[in-house]
Amino acid sequence: MSARILIVEDEEPLTMLLRYNLEAEGYEVETAARGDDADTRLKEATPDLVVLDWMLPGLSGIELCRRLRARPETRQLPIIMLTARGEESEKVRGLATGADDYIVKPFSVPELLARVRALLRRANPERVATVLTIGDLELDREKKRVVRNGRPIDLGPTEYRLLEFLMERPGRVFSREQLLDGVWGSDIYIDERTVDVHVGRLRKAINRGNLTDPIRTVRGAGYSLDDRFGRMTGT
Ligand code: CA
């Protein structure tokens, strides 16, 4: 069965472009042009993923996202937020509200399709891979082994868990607090600066010899593994 995607966007040409391309990928697509309409629709049926515009008539994307996260049926629903260029603080707020990913307008369609695929994969735990691969970086969970550009990399246990956590959710920005909870566990008290120290060690280990740094520091937000660093296609 193909995945169902709801596009919530009030710019009709963009909605049509997204519908066309998502349907070409084999997804079932529904659309809503107003935030409040989408809210009503999402109470009736839950799709597999939502592409949600930030600025919408009726109800803003951010408010809709907040409502979806507050309801048990849609708490885990994968959400990609669309934001306008230059809204850095909005992006941070969008992620804080619970969007899984964001994409800045104007974006390329292949970029969005890649994010959709990644999110749907992430949302299906039965399809969780033993080997995580992003660009030239490879993490084998069975062998607990990391390889970059064909070369094995020695990591301490914390750096390994940190990398695994980031590679499981490429593109998603995590605050230091979220990384502490996810990697160290929420019952342990550790200073948030500890995260910076370990990210620094991880970077040093994986970026030897002028390799591109796959870890992004997002000012005021935290860290993210750049899911685009391995792709060379310019759009
Ligand atoms: Ca809009």
Side-chain angles (χ1 to χ4, degrees), residues 21 28 30-32 40 46 51 53 62 66 79-80 89 94 107 129 157 161 170 193-195 210 217-218 227:
N21 283 281
E28 265 178 53
E30 278 187 62
T31 62
T40 309
T46 309
V51 176
D53 187 30
I62 212 78
R66 211 192 316 271
I79 299 172
I80 299 178
S89 60
F107 53 84
R161 281 202 306 276
R193 274 169 298 185
T194 306
V195 175
N210 286 332
T217 305
V218 183
D227 56 344

Side-chain angles (χ1 to χ4, degrees), residues 51-69:
V51 176
L52 182 58
D53 187 30
W54 169 275
M55 298 289 279
L56 288 167
L59 184 71
S60 78
I62 212 78
E63 178 53 28
L64 178 55
C65 188
R66 211 192 316 271
R67 290 188 188 183
L68 291 172
R69 287 300 177 246

Side-chain angles (χ1 to χ4, degrees), residues 8-11 14 33 53-57 82 105:
V8 191
E9 168 62 73
D10 57 325
E11 289 165 50
L14 181 56
D53 187 30
W54 169 275
M55 298 289 279
L56 288 167
L82 304 179
K105 287 182 187 176

